[in-house]
Amino acid sequence: MSGREVGRFDEQDLVRLAVLGDDAAFGELVRIHQHEVYTVALRMVSDRELAYDVSQEAFVRAWRAIPRFRGDAKFSTWMHRITVNTALTHLERRKRTNTDALDAMHVDPEADGLTPERAGESAAMRPHLETALGDLAVPLRTVVVLKDVYGWSHAEISEHLEISITAAKVRLHRGRKVLRSALWEHKGDRS
Amino acid sequence: MSATCRIVAMRLPDIGDPSELGTRLAKHTATCLRCQAEAARYRSLRRHLAELSTVTYPAPQGFVSSVMGRLTDPVIEVARHTRQTVRSRVVAVAAASAAVVATAGTVALILRRLQAPV
């Protein structure tokens, strides 16, 4: 299938074609979901270069696994989980090689396309929140991102991180407390 | 800060609303400005975190072509295969070395016993 033909298909068609090994269809899926996947990776690892590697590898893993994709979940949900797992693998690898020099994301709102239309409380708070999230210890950040940003259940988090539900709850509690302190104690009251 | 305020502060990270605190603590919060402010901060934190799910950052330029290059690049597959081959060779050499050392040890032990005075 040529790239031009791909444009006529909806996402479900693209997934069906990709399952059959159509790389052009998969390429279109990559084009559609690249930003979402990159963002999830960035939130998980809080490092742009690593997020790039994670998101690339997530798509490569997805391509290898797509013949087994049954379509029970949406492609975006499936991709989200692959990205989270890939990020966890990279974080674990980095921990093992003892080079855990986490750079905070230090999001530059302009560089990331956050336009003036997003002005207001949320936009004002977002860069500080992203930085505070980036500064969180990896185990806390992972749980906060999955639970509070992406709405995973404690059971899902526990399964993916291979920790108990109680441990997931404790990490969430600690993570929220650290964020609350970072946002309202050290940088002035924004409430 | 009263003891009740401290208990409320300890519970707030886990709940969505002060009404979930239970009757006694909820009643305290209804009249305590400090606890109300703290509850508001956690509500705000959770709302802003949830809003992050709607914000996406643009993937770097050339992302798609780079992914597609990785899918079809035979060099990557060869490299992956080579890494696996190297890994299995290292394991084989290590196993063979261990076997040689064990055999040498056994032979040395037997020779020592044979040479030892009765």
Side-chain angles (χ1 to χ4, degrees), chain A residues 1-2 10 16 25 31 35 40 45 50 63 65 67 76-77 81 85 107 118 146-147 162 182:
Chain A
M1 184 172 63
S2 77
D10 67 16
R16 276 187 218 110
R31 194 191 58 76
H35 306 304
V40 172
V45 302
L50 188 57
W63 172 243
S76 58
T77 310
R81 274 159 205 272
N85 286 335
V107 173
R118 294 200 173 163
L146 293 178
K147 180 79 175 75
E162 295 176 349

Side-chain angles (χ1 to χ4, degrees), chain A residues 32-52:
Chain A
I32 294 168
H33 294 282
Q34 56 174 326
H35 306 304
E36 202 181 323
V37 165
Y38 176 71
T39 303
V40 172
L42 186 57
R43 292 241 162 80
M44 290 290 291
V45 302
S46 191
D47 177 297
R48 291 181 192 283
E49 272 185 37
L50 188 57
Y52 183 82

Side-chain angles (χ1 to χ4, degrees), chain A residues 26-161:
Chain A
F26 187 77
E28 188 61 11
L29 289 169
V30 175
R31 194 191 58 76
I32 294 168
H33 294 282
Q34 56 174 326
H35 306 304
E36 202 181 323
V37 165
Y38 176 71
T39 303
V40 172
L42 186 57
R43 292 241 162 80
M44 290 290 291
V45 302
S46 191
D47 177 297
R48 291 181 192 283
E49 272 185 37
L50 188 57
Y52 183 82
D53 290 345
V54 166
S55 39
Q56 292 250 325
E57 191 180 323
F59 278 117
V60 173
R61 283 189 189 189
W63 172 243
R64 287 183 188 146
I66 207 163
R68 298 188 299 279
F69 180 68
R70 290 171 300 169
D72 298 339
K74 280 167 66 181
F75 180 78
S76 58
T77 310
W78 185 69
M79 225 22 255
H80 185 109
R81 274 159 205 272
I82 291 178
T83 311
V84 167
N85 286 335
T86 310
L88 292 174
T89 308
H90 277 257
L91 288 171
E92 187 57 36
R93 200 178 294 160
R94 189 158 68 168
K95 197 172 96 186
R96 274 205 306 271
T97 53
N98 206 18
T99 56
D100 195 2
L102 281 177
D103 296 324
M105 264 198 281
H106 297 304
V107 173
D108 174 356
E110 286 177 17
D112 284 308
L114 295 179
T115 56
E117 297 90 70
R118 294 200 173 163
E121 191 206 359
S122 289
M125 169 78 107
R126 194 172 300 132
H128 302 289
L129 183 56
E130 295 271 26
T131 302
L133 257 181
D135 286 342
L136 269 186
V138 172
L140 306 186
R141 183 176 64 234
T142 313
V143 175
V144 171
V145 166
L146 293 178
K147 180 79 175 75
D148 284 347
V149 179
Y150 294 112
W152 286 32
S153 69
H154 281 299
E156 289 171 309
I157 293 170
S158 142
E159 189 191 326
H160 271 74
L161 300 188

Side-chain angles (χ1 to χ4, degrees), chain A residues 149-189:
Chain A
V149 179
Y150 294 112
W152 286 32
S153 69
H154 281 299
E156 289 171 309
I157 293 170
S158 142
E159 189 191 326
H160 271 74
L161 300 188
E162 295 176 349
I163 56 173
S164 67
I165 289 181
T166 309
K169 286 182 177 175
V170 168
R171 288 184 190 183
L172 183 67
H173 176 96
R174 288 188 190 151
R176 285 174 179 167
K177 274 183 81 169
V178 174
L179 288 178
R180 179 248 172 266
S181 299
L183 293 170
W184 281 283
E185 277 173 18
H186 304 306
K187 292 174 183 170
D189 195 329

